[in-house]
Amino acid sequence: MKFFKLFSCIALIGLSLSSSAAEISVAQTQLQAPAQTNHIIAYFSARQNGKTTHINTADPQGIYRVLISKSSEGYLVQDFFQANHQAQSSPVLLTDAEDLDRFQVQSAVGEILLYNRNGQRFNKQVYDKDHDVIYVAGYSLHGQILLEQEVNPENGITHTKLWHSNGTLAFELQSNSDMQLIDSQAWRRNGKAFNSKTCFSDRSLDFSSAAIDPCVLQLKSLYQKYEKLWETQMQ
């Protein structure tokens, strides 16, 4: 599976989901789906230049997708690394048959866990019935949570927590859909809180809007560090 960007406002690495794509009912798409289950239905290339694409034959360093089952709810699929047959994702429900051979799925429902080639979980995502991402979490190579983000579908408010690599809480933020902060708290790596008067002074999460703001600088630094970490684990 491809992964949604972890900060909706800052664009961290994650499974990509297009909520604007036209929805196709299961009844309409079942005729396009394979008749058999528990077999390989698609191959994907090794990741190159940040992309994974659908291919016709297996790539030794790529990924393959298995159709586990199909029902009135949709198609339960799971992705695996070709090289060692380790799971690349947990089973995930897709409601659109066109997603069966599409790495960048648009119709996921429920929870997805994502793994690197060593079998370590590094990402968790939850999609609602409308295929919108409502929860994302990112983990270190040792299983420590580094980022957690939850979106309230009723009002669009996003609650984000971000940790330093030593386990100290770095940020706890609430923001709206316009990337404006509603509430914020920030801590340095040593656990000392930032001065609230100088932290996110313009109440924006836009990196370019407050280049000398100490909280923005710390947030940008962690973003770049973790983006690299999660991108590496997708290789």
Side-chain angles (χ1 to χ4, degrees), residues 5-21:
K5 305 233 179 226
L6 286 180
F7 266 4
S8 58
C9 53
I10 309 176
L12 285 177
I13 202 73
L15 183 91
S16 181
L17 181 73
S18 174
S19 59
S20 61

mmCIF file of all heavy atoms in Angstrom, residues 5-21:
data_model
loop_
_atom_site.group_PDB
_atom_site.id
_atom_site.type_symbol
_atom_site.label_atom_id
_atom_site.label_comp_id
_atom_site.label_asym_id
_atom_site.label_seq_id
_atom_site.Cartn_x
_atom_site.Cartn_y
_atom_site.Cartn_z
ATOM 1 N N LYS A 5 0.134 10.998 3.882
ATOM 2 C CA LYS A 5 1.056 11.952 4.475
ATOM 3 C C LYS A 5 0.660 12.229 5.922
ATOM 4 O O LYS A 5 -0.464 12.581 6.200
ATOM 5 C CB LYS A 5 1.057 13.226 3.661
ATOM 6 C CG LYS A 5 1.371 12.931 2.209
ATOM 7 C CD LYS A 5 2.488 13.762 1.703
ATOM 8 C CE LYS A 5 2.785 13.411 0.274
ATOM 9 N NZ LYS A 5 4.145 13.242 -0.038
ATOM 10 N N LEU A 6 1.603 12.108 6.816
ATOM 11 C CA LEU A 6 1.282 12.100 8.236
ATOM 12 C C LEU A 6 0.770 13.429 8.779
ATOM 13 O O LEU A 6 -0.069 13.456 9.645
ATOM 14 C CB LEU A 6 2.501 11.655 9.051
ATOM 15 C CG LEU A 6 2.814 10.178 8.980
ATOM 16 C CD1 LEU A 6 4.022 9.858 9.822
ATOM 17 C CD2 LEU A 6 1.639 9.340 9.424
ATOM 18 N N PHE A 7 1.288 14.535 8.325
ATOM 19 C CA PHE A 7 0.706 15.823 8.701
ATOM 20 C C PHE A 7 -0.127 16.289 7.529
ATOM 21 O O PHE A 7 0.394 16.540 6.466
ATOM 22 C CB PHE A 7 1.784 16.868 8.927
ATOM 23 C CG PHE A 7 2.235 17.023 10.344
ATOM 24 C CD1 PHE A 7 1.770 16.222 11.366
ATOM 25 C CD2 PHE A 7 3.141 18.014 10.650
ATOM 26 C CE1 PHE A 7 2.206 16.397 12.653
ATOM 27 C CE2 PHE A 7 3.583 18.196 11.943
ATOM 28 C CZ PHE A 7 3.124 17.381 12.948
ATOM 29 N N SER A 8 -1.427 16.422 7.698
ATOM 30 C CA SER A 8 -2.234 16.967 6.617
ATOM 31 C C SER A 8 -1.813 18.398 6.335
ATOM 32 O O SER A 8 -1.946 18.895 5.223
ATOM 33 C CB SER A 8 -3.711 16.924 7.004
ATOM 34 O OG SER A 8 -3.933 17.639 8.188
ATOM 35 N N CYS A 9 -1.283 19.071 7.343
ATOM 36 C CA CYS A 9 -0.898 20.472 7.178
ATOM 37 C C CYS A 9 0.567 20.639 6.802
ATOM 38 O O CYS A 9 0.947 21.660 6.252
ATOM 39 C CB CYS A 9 -1.190 21.247 8.454
ATOM 40 S SG CYS A 9 -0.475 20.500 9.930
ATOM 41 N N ILE A 10 1.420 19.650 7.103
ATOM 42 C CA ILE A 10 2.844 19.810 6.868
ATOM 43 C C ILE A 10 3.380 18.757 5.893
ATOM 44 O O ILE A 10 4.525 18.804 5.502
ATOM 45 C CB ILE A 10 3.618 19.759 8.195
ATOM 46 C CG1 ILE A 10 2.982 20.730 9.193
ATOM 47 C CG2 ILE A 10 5.064 20.138 8.020
ATOM 48 C CD1 ILE A 10 3.621 20.689 10.550
ATOM 49 N N ALA A 11 2.562 17.811 5.509
ATOM 50 C CA ALA A 11 2.911 16.831 4.473
ATOM 51 C C ALA A 11 4.072 15.921 4.825
ATOM 52 O O ALA A 11 5.092 15.894 4.169
ATOM 53 C CB ALA A 11 3.192 17.535 3.149
ATOM 54 N N LEU A 12 3.911 15.134 5.890
ATOM 55 C CA LEU A 12 4.862 14.065 6.179
ATOM 56 C C LEU A 12 4.522 12.844 5.333
ATOM 57 O O LEU A 12 3.506 12.803 4.662
ATOM 58 C CB LEU A 12 4.811 13.699 7.675
ATOM 59 C CG LEU A 12 5.483 14.683 8.631
ATOM 60 C CD1 LEU A 12 5.291 14.218 10.064
ATOM 61 C CD2 LEU A 12 6.964 14.806 8.349
ATOM 62 N N ILE A 13 5.369 11.825 5.427
ATOM 63 C CA ILE A 13 5.230 10.666 4.558
ATOM 64 C C ILE A 13 4.069 9.780 5.004
ATOM 65 O O ILE A 13 3.834 9.613 6.166
ATOM 66 C CB ILE A 13 6.539 9.856 4.532
ATOM 67 C CG1 ILE A 13 6.634 9.001 3.284
ATOM 68 C CG2 ILE A 13 6.766 9.056 5.754
ATOM 69 C CD1 ILE A 13 6.894 9.728 2.055
ATOM 70 N N GLY A 14 3.313 9.141 4.123
ATOM 71 C CA GLY A 14 2.233 8.234 4.490
ATOM 72 C C GLY A 14 1.413 7.713 3.319
ATOM 73 O O GLY A 14 1.767 7.964 2.197
ATOM 74 N N LEU A 15 0.315 6.932 3.522
ATOM 75 C CA LEU A 15 -0.536 6.329 2.479
ATOM 76 C C LEU A 15 -1.424 7.369 1.843
ATOM 77 O O LEU A 15 -2.121 8.053 2.525
ATOM 78 C CB LEU A 15 -1.415 5.203 3.037
ATOM 79 C CG LEU A 15 -2.298 4.455 2.041
ATOM 80 C CD1 LEU A 15 -1.614 3.246 1.474
ATOM 81 C CD2 LEU A 15 -3.562 4.005 2.680
ATOM 82 N N SER A 16 -1.393 7.469 0.510
ATOM 83 C CA SER A 16 -2.099 8.537 -0.182
ATOM 84 C C SER A 16 -3.514 8.110 -0.506
ATOM 85 O O SER A 16 -3.741 7.062 -1.068
ATOM 86 C CB SER A 16 -1.345 8.892 -1.461
ATOM 87 O OG SER A 16 -1.978 9.925 -2.140
ATOM 88 N N LEU A 17 -4.454 8.956 -0.164
ATOM 89 C CA LEU A 17 -5.864 8.658 -0.383
ATOM 90 C C LEU A 17 -6.525 9.867 -0.998
ATOM 91 O O LEU A 17 -6.422 10.959 -0.477
ATOM 92 C CB LEU A 17 -6.546 8.324 0.939
ATOM 93 C CG LEU A 17 -8.020 7.967 0.855
ATOM 94 C CD1 LEU A 17 -8.202 6.585 0.265
ATOM 95 C CD2 LEU A 17 -8.648 8.023 2.225
ATOM 96 N N SER A 18 -7.207 9.693 -2.128
ATOM 97 C CA SER A 18 -7.890 10.803 -2.773
ATOM 98 C C SER A 18 -9.360 10.767 -2.422
ATOM 99 O O SER A 18 -10.126 9.969 -2.951
ATOM 100 C CB SER A 18 -7.716 10.728 -4.297
ATOM 101 O OG SER A 18 -8.489 11.711 -4.933
ATOM 102 N N SER A 19 -9.790 11.662 -1.527
ATOM 103 C CA SER A 19 -11.193 11.683 -1.126
ATOM 104 C C SER A 19 -12.070 12.316 -2.181
ATOM 105 O O SER A 19 -13.294 12.247 -2.117
ATOM 106 C CB SER A 19 -11.338 12.455 0.188
ATOM 107 O OG SER A 19 -10.876 13.773 0.055
ATOM 108 N N SER A 20 -11.474 12.950 -3.199
ATOM 109 C CA SER A 20 -12.272 13.600 -4.228
ATOM 110 C C SER A 20 -12.608 12.658 -5.385
ATOM 111 O O SER A 20 -13.379 13.003 -6.272
ATOM 112 C CB SER A 20 -11.506 14.810 -4.784
ATOM 113 O OG SER A 20 -10.297 14.395 -5.376
ATOM 114 N N ALA A 21 -12.024 11.460 -5.397
ATOM 115 C CA ALA A 21 -12.304 10.514 -6.468
ATOM 116 C C ALA A 21 -13.762 10.071 -6.421
ATOM 117 O O ALA A 21 -14.350 9.914 -5.369
ATOM 118 C CB ALA A 21 -11.390 9.296 -6.335
#
